[in-house]
mmCIF file of all heavy atoms in Angstrom:
data_model
loop_
_atom_site.group_PDB
_atom_site.id
_atom_site.type_symbol
_atom_site.label_atom_id
_atom_site.label_comp_id
_atom_site.label_asym_id
_atom_site.label_seq_id
_atom_site.Cartn_x
_atom_site.Cartn_y
_atom_site.Cartn_z
ATOM 1 N N CYS A 314 176.497 112.521 192.611
ATOM 2 C CA CYS A 314 177.382 113.133 193.618
ATOM 3 C C CYS A 314 176.957 112.742 195.042
ATOM 4 O O CYS A 314 175.851 113.056 195.475
ATOM 5 C CB CYS A 314 177.386 114.653 193.480
ATOM 6 S SG CYS A 314 178.408 115.407 194.765
ATOM 7 N N PRO A 315 177.846 112.065 195.784
ATOM 8 C CA PRO A 315 177.476 111.612 197.129
ATOM 9 C C PRO A 315 177.343 112.757 198.128
ATOM 10 O O PRO A 315 176.761 112.584 199.187
ATOM 11 C CB PRO A 315 178.639 110.690 197.522
ATOM 12 C CG PRO A 315 179.792 111.156 196.717
ATOM 13 C CD PRO A 315 179.227 111.680 195.431
ATOM 14 N N MET A 316 177.884 113.932 197.771
ATOM 15 C CA MET A 316 177.795 115.063 198.700
ATOM 16 C C MET A 316 176.645 115.998 198.322
ATOM 17 O O MET A 316 176.492 117.077 198.892
ATOM 18 C CB MET A 316 179.123 115.841 198.726
ATOM 19 C CG MET A 316 180.319 115.013 199.165
ATOM 20 S SD MET A 316 180.015 114.044 200.657
ATOM 21 C CE MET A 316 180.054 115.316 201.903
ATOM 22 N N ILE A 318 176.148 117.923 195.816
ATOM 23 C CA ILE A 318 176.475 119.254 195.302
ATOM 24 C C ILE A 318 176.494 119.170 193.776
ATOM 25 O O ILE A 318 176.530 118.072 193.207
ATOM 26 C CB ILE A 318 177.847 119.768 195.826
ATOM 27 C CG1 ILE A 318 178.974 118.768 195.501
ATOM 28 C CG2 ILE A 318 177.795 120.047 197.307
ATOM 29 C CD1 ILE A 318 180.344 119.239 195.939
ATOM 30 N N PRO A 320 178.470 119.191 190.634
ATOM 31 C CA PRO A 320 179.887 119.094 190.280
ATOM 32 C C PRO A 320 180.353 120.212 189.340
ATOM 33 O O PRO A 320 181.539 120.499 189.263
ATOM 34 C CB PRO A 320 179.983 117.727 189.600
ATOM 35 C CG PRO A 320 178.866 116.946 190.195
ATOM 36 C CD PRO A 320 177.755 117.931 190.365
ATOM 37 N N ARG A 323 181.577 123.054 191.973
ATOM 38 C CA ARG A 323 182.072 122.372 193.181
ATOM 39 C C ARG A 323 182.364 123.369 194.285
ATOM 40 O O ARG A 323 182.808 124.472 194.036
ATOM 41 C CB ARG A 323 183.350 121.600 192.857
ATOM 42 C CG ARG A 323 183.077 120.347 192.050
ATOM 43 C CD ARG A 323 184.340 119.824 191.436
ATOM 44 N NE ARG A 323 185.291 119.417 192.434
ATOM 45 C CZ ARG A 323 186.603 119.539 192.297
ATOM 46 N NH1 ARG A 323 187.108 120.079 191.215
ATOM 47 N NH2 ARG A 323 187.404 119.129 193.236
ATOM 48 N N CYS A 327 182.970 119.157 198.502
ATOM 49 C CA CYS A 327 183.454 118.109 197.581
ATOM 50 C C CYS A 327 184.526 117.266 198.272
ATOM 51 O O CYS A 327 185.438 117.792 198.894
ATOM 52 C CB CYS A 327 184.031 118.764 196.326
ATOM 53 S SG CYS A 327 184.813 117.577 195.219
ATOM 54 N N ILE A 328 184.400 115.940 198.165
ATOM 55 C CA ILE A 328 185.381 115.049 198.800
ATOM 56 C C ILE A 328 186.363 114.486 197.766
ATOM 57 O O ILE A 328 187.090 113.536 198.052
ATOM 58 C CB ILE A 328 184.680 113.888 199.547
ATOM 59 C CG1 ILE A 328 183.713 113.163 198.597
ATOM 60 C CG2 ILE A 328 183.977 114.377 200.802
ATOM 61 C CD1 ILE A 328 183.171 111.855 199.141
ATOM 62 N N ASN A 329 186.344 115.043 196.560
ATOM 63 C CA ASN A 329 187.251 114.599 195.492
ATOM 64 C C ASN A 329 187.162 113.107 195.227
ATOM 65 O O ASN A 329 188.182 112.435 195.098
ATOM 66 C CB ASN A 329 188.698 114.963 195.843
ATOM 67 C CG ASN A 329 188.992 116.370 195.407
ATOM 68 O OD1 ASN A 329 188.666 116.753 194.283
ATOM 69 N ND2 ASN A 329 189.559 117.142 196.308
ATOM 70 N N CYS A 330 185.941 112.602 195.148
ATOM 71 C CA CYS A 330 185.801 111.163 194.898
ATOM 72 C C CYS A 330 185.973 110.847 193.413
ATOM 73 O O CYS A 330 186.322 109.732 193.046
ATOM 74 C CB CYS A 330 184.447 110.668 195.404
ATOM 75 S SG CYS A 330 183.048 111.304 194.474
ATOM 76 N N GLY A 331 185.677 111.809 192.540
ATOM 77 C CA GLY A 331 185.865 111.597 191.105
ATOM 78 C C GLY A 331 184.710 110.899 190.414
ATOM 79 O O GLY A 331 184.790 110.589 189.225
ATOM 80 N N LEU A 332 183.627 110.655 191.144
ATOM 81 C CA LEU A 332 182.495 109.953 190.536
ATOM 82 C C LEU A 332 181.886 110.764 189.388
ATOM 83 O O LEU A 332 181.405 110.207 188.398
ATOM 84 C CB LEU A 332 181.448 109.685 191.628
ATOM 85 C CG LEU A 332 180.458 108.563 191.405
ATOM 86 C CD1 LEU A 332 181.127 107.282 190.961
ATOM 87 C CD2 LEU A 332 179.656 108.312 192.670
ATOM 88 N N CYS A 333 181.929 112.093 189.522
ATOM 89 C CA CYS A 333 181.389 112.941 188.443
ATOM 90 C C CYS A 333 182.203 112.753 187.160
ATOM 91 O O CYS A 333 181.655 112.763 186.058
ATOM 92 C CB CYS A 333 181.337 114.403 188.872
ATOM 93 S SG CYS A 333 182.828 114.996 189.663
ATOM 94 N N SER A 344 186.891 116.922 188.576
ATOM 95 C CA SER A 344 187.691 116.923 189.808
ATOM 96 C C SER A 344 189.019 116.212 189.603
ATOM 97 O O SER A 344 189.154 115.361 188.733
ATOM 98 C CB SER A 344 186.928 116.228 190.939
ATOM 99 O OG SER A 344 186.773 114.872 190.629
HETATM 100 S S1 SF4 B 401 181.633 117.056 192.922
HETATM 101 FE FE1 SF4 B 401 183.157 116.193 194.312
HETATM 102 S S2 SF4 B 401 181.996 114.901 195.732
HETATM 103 FE FE2 SF4 B 401 180.655 115.325 193.966
HETATM 104 S S3 SF4 B 401 180.973 113.583 192.569
HETATM 105 FE FE3 SF4 B 401 182.406 115.188 191.941
HETATM 106 S S4 SF4 B 401 184.314 114.744 193.040
HETATM 107 FE FE4 SF4 B 401 182.666 113.571 194.059
#
Side-chain angles (χ1 to χ4, degrees):
C314 177
M316 300 313 286
I318 55 178
R323 286 165 64 214
C327 174
I328 53 169
N329 274 313
C330 68
L332 202 48
C333 46
S344 66

